[in-house]
Amino acid sequence: MSSPATAVPSDIDPLSTQAPTVSSLTTSDAAFAKATQLPQKSWTIEDSEKLYRIQGWGEPYFSINAAGHVTVSPKGDRGGSLDLCELVESLKQRNLALPLLIRFSDILEDRIERLNSCFARAIARYNYKNVYRGVFPVKCNQHRQLIQDLVRFGQPHHFGLEAGSKPELMIALATLKTPGALLICNGYKDREYVETAILAQRLGQTSVIVLEQIEEVQLAIVASKALGIKPVLGVRAKLTTKGVGRWGGSTGDRAKFGLTIPEIIQAVGELQKAGMLDCLQLLHFHIGSQISSISVIKEAIREASHIYVELAKLGANMKYLDVGGGLGVDYDGSKTNFHASKNYNMQNYANDVVAGVKDACDERKLPVPILISESGRAIASHQSVLVFDVLGTSDVPREIPEPVDENAHQIPRNLYEIYQSIGPENYQEVYHDAIQFKEEAISLFNLGYLGIAERAKTEQLYWACCHKIQSIARQKEYVSDDLEELEKVMASIYYINLSVFQSVPDSWAINQLFPIMPINRLDEEPTQRGILADLTCDSDGKIDQFIDLRDVKSVLELHSLKPGEPYYLALFLGGAYQEIMGNLHNLFGDANAVHIQLTPAGYHIEHVVKGDTMKEVLSYVQYDAESLVESIRRQTESALQQNKITLSESQLCCKITSGVSASILIFSLN
Ligand SMILES: *Cc1c(COP(=O)(O)O)cnc(C)c1O
């Protein structure tokens, strides 16, 4: 582990600072002590609420109770809550060690309800003469219990699934049992994928094959002719409207997919020639995930609506408009168009989709389409909480320096003078002086002009100066960038029992921000500033960017550890895209997963998934390859008995299942 004491800001050039102002002993020690005292006002849970911005990102699911613990209200505004800290304690008593991934099924249900009621309200408000039929993109969280819950909770709303690969299509086929719910088939397709998607109709699924590459048009035509079944087809349009932020544009998850306008025209021509233009019923677009700006969404809807209208005019049997994903999550609670936030709410989103599509159709006197969104992040993020604990901390030296005697080297003498002089008037300039002296001491040491004891004394004094300067700077409303840097240099390292790379891959890979905060001691002032590091001892294993009202902050306010007392931290809103990696690379810190459901008597643990060591990917997402195959086989058999499918069709249908253990290992991680 690297010592934080060596972490001097490298962008500060020690030679460029002005001459030291050591003689300006303007502030008395008493005044200094007064100026640097920590605020005496007692800390309240409201202070913690404000500091960690929990209302901004957590409402209505997360808040703080009088005991200073985070509470969870899994049913949102509909009542019932539990103390997260107590829950963790009781799970620990059941031998479930931290880190723990706790899933709240009720939150998942609430998110589905919310999305559907937002669209229902928008549809009523604009007198939109058709319905909303959402689908959940399986890639967002492929865990079996989650997908099963999702299908169950979605039943009243005919909520369907979106598959982006063959393994995901298998998951969807085996899980989706809601009559009338859509099964949207996206992603790269080979013949087998297309055939299975077409045959899914025979199994009672409402499957739509979305053509994303021009080659897929012929693939669909050939497969359809061979099977003698007419598929429902869609096209994915490459819009000129670009998603912004880290998921937009070229970094977007599937930016390589989609047909250009000339390709769409070509596809229409090919389908017409094959006598299949009536199969083309859906227009799809996806401009990226986490779209933070509502204006980008509006623009995309406007462009897509016009393409939809034109397709209808060209003779396609248009029925569906699928607006893809992108509905954002407010990770920092700032309600802005910052990449970790969004400047609109779910209702604004639904309103803009409904109103935008209606306008375009009304203009051309066309019936309005069934609306589909593939909202993944907005559905799955809130339902899981990752709880971990702090194993220990590493702090910069904190000793109060002894006076330096007159015979000592000039540098420690100067530094001691600086140390004594530090006050609210000069704290900024003496910071640079302190750095300069420390750098000088190192140079002299390297040239053999300074003994090791004097170097040690110099470093000790340097840190003492930094502490004094920092405590003044913390009381200021505004500090210069270099003093903000000081917080980073002085930050403690909190070692956590979690693999950042496994459990929060997007924090590691794309610096995504998630709200992280303690779940206990919130009635106490957090006097420390720290970054989080896991035990891998490398740069992959740390979190040093945290949510803030404006931009990000490089340190998190934390409490100093008390011996024998646990200190729990939690990462929130990580239920989308994070959980899949969590179990793939097992070094240590594989989180146990627990599913919690609220009951009138308290809560109920639905499933416990022990985070075991090395198993295959399939079983990690709690699928058993054999039972998946079995489920599809049984469905095929009953379709066969009811004469809905021929024997050769059923054999084809089972073909996809033969390679399951290999192909499903290649989970799409995008
Ligand atoms: C990833 C993806 C989604 C989900 O996007 P969210 O922003 O999580 O809602 C939807 N559709 C497609 C085609 C995707 O690739």
Side-chain angles (χ1 to χ4, degrees), residues 630-648:
E630 184 56 19
S631 163
I632 295 179
R633 195 191 57 76
R634 268 204 306 266
Q635 289 182 54
T636 312
E637 219 160 77
S638 96
L640 196 61
Q641 271 165 13
Q642 295 163 43
N643 283 329
K644 287 188 186 158
I645 193 169
T646 68
L647 186 63
S648 61

Side-chain angles (χ1 to χ4, degrees), residues 341-538:
S341 186
K342 60 183 172 96
N343 65 1
Y344 59 94
N345 64 27
M346 208 183 247
Q347 189 64 61
N348 303 145
Y349 176 81
N351 288 352
D352 282 340
V353 171
V354 170
V357 176
K358 184 173 190 278
D359 279 354
C361 290
D362 283 359
E363 247 171 56
R364 302 296 188 91
K365 307 214 166 8
L366 268 183
V368 291
I370 293 175
L371 292 172
I372 303 164
S373 80
E374 303 173 346
S375 309
R377 189 181 294 279
I379 294 273
S381 292
H382 298 73
Q383 49 84 34
S384 83
V385 179
L386 183 63
V387 183
F388 46 98
D389 49 7
V390 175
L391 305 171
T393 63
S394 157
D395 306 313
V396 296
R398 289 192 168 276
E399 304 97 56
I400 309 262
E402 303 269 313
V404 176
D405 73 64
E406 283 169 22
N407 306 322
H409 191 280
Q410 185 68 31
I411 288 186
R413 280 204 339 253
N414 287 354
L415 260 178
Y416 188 67
E417 264 185 84
I418 289 185
Y419 172 75
Q420 286 183 307
S421 80
I422 297 169
E425 287 78 30
N426 69 346
Y427 72 102
Q428 294 218 29
E429 49 184 305
V430 294
Y431 176 50
H432 297 281
D433 300 340
I435 292 174
Q436 191 184 358
F437 280 127
K438 186 187 147 223
E439 301 280 332
E440 248 173 58
I442 293 169
S443 308
L444 290 175
F445 177 79
N446 289 344
L447 294 169
Y449 296 131
L450 193 76
I452 194 159
E454 282 154 324
R455 178 170 165 183
K457 185 78 197 163
T458 305
E459 285 191 20
Q460 187 204 30
L461 280 161
Y462 168 74
W463 288 114
C465 290
C466 288
H467 277 294
K468 232 171 157 180
I469 293 163
Q470 183 188 35
S471 53
I472 297 173
R474 276 189 189 172
Q475 306 203 330
K476 304 287 174 195
E477 288 266 306
Y478 170 82
V479 293
S480 55
D481 288 351
D482 45 358
L483 283 173
E484 240 166 59
E485 196 69 25
L486 179 64
E487 281 287 358
K488 223 153 123 184
V489 175
M490 303 280 293
S492 300
I493 301 175
Y494 278 64
Y495 291 102
I496 54 176
N497 65 340
L498 182 79
S499 163
V500 173
F501 169 65
Q502 289 170 56
S503 294
V504 214
D506 282 349
S507 163
W508 167 79
I510 54 170
N511 269 328
Q512 193 190 330
L513 294 169
F514 293 96
I516 298 174
M517 64 179 284
I519 62 165
N520 58 336
R521 297 179 61 187
L522 294 166
D523 50 354
E524 282 175 49
E525 177 165 9
T527 51
Q528 305 298 103
R529 303 289 182 277
I531 64 160
L532 308 180
D534 67 22
L535 299 175
T536 54
C537 288
D538 58 32

Side-chain angles (χ1 to χ4, degrees), residues 57-192:
W57 54 260
E59 269 186 338
Y61 308 111
F62 308 106
S63 52
I64 302 174
N65 67 12
H69 297 169
V70 167
T71 61
V72 186
S73 307
K75 291 173 188 288
D77 310 319
R78 291 172 291 150
S81 76
L82 55 88
D83 183 315
L84 185 57
C85 189
E86 282 174 15
L87 175 66
V88 169
E89 295 282 354
S90 79
L91 292 172
K92 270 170 78 179
Q93 276 161 21
R94 291 171 211 231
N95 283 328
L96 284 163
L98 296 180
L100 269 174
L101 181 78
I102 307 177
R103 290 223 197 91
F104 295 96
S105 315
D106 298 292
I107 294 186
L108 186 67
E109 184 171 13
D110 194 74
R111 298 304 293 173
I112 295 173
E113 295 286 341
R114 261 166 214 270
L115 182 61
N116 281 282
S117 55
C118 284
F119 269 98
R121 269 196 292 270
I123 281 170
R125 175 171 169 189
Y126 295 100
N127 193 22
Y128 189 89
K129 294 275 171 21
N130 214 329
V131 292
Y132 167 72
R133 289 276 181 272
V135 293
F136 178 77
V138 172
K139 73 149 190 244
C140 190
N141 190 325
Q142 295 137 325
H143 283 73
R144 179 167 61 87
Q145 286 92 357
L146 185 127
I147 297 288
Q148 283 177 344
D149 278 353
L150 194 125
V151 167
R152 182 160 52 93
F153 298 143
Q155 249 156 16
H157 310 286
H158 308 280
F159 214 71
L161 293 174
E162 182 261 4
S165 63
K166 258 195 285 188
E168 288 177 7
L169 177 60
M170 284 201 59
I171 292 172
L173 278 177
T175 322
L176 188 60
K177 308 253 164 71
T178 312
L182 291 163
L183 199 177
I184 303 286
C185 305
N186 287 335
Y188 171 79
K189 295 171 206 74
D190 59 9
R191 173 95 184 241
E192 203 175 63

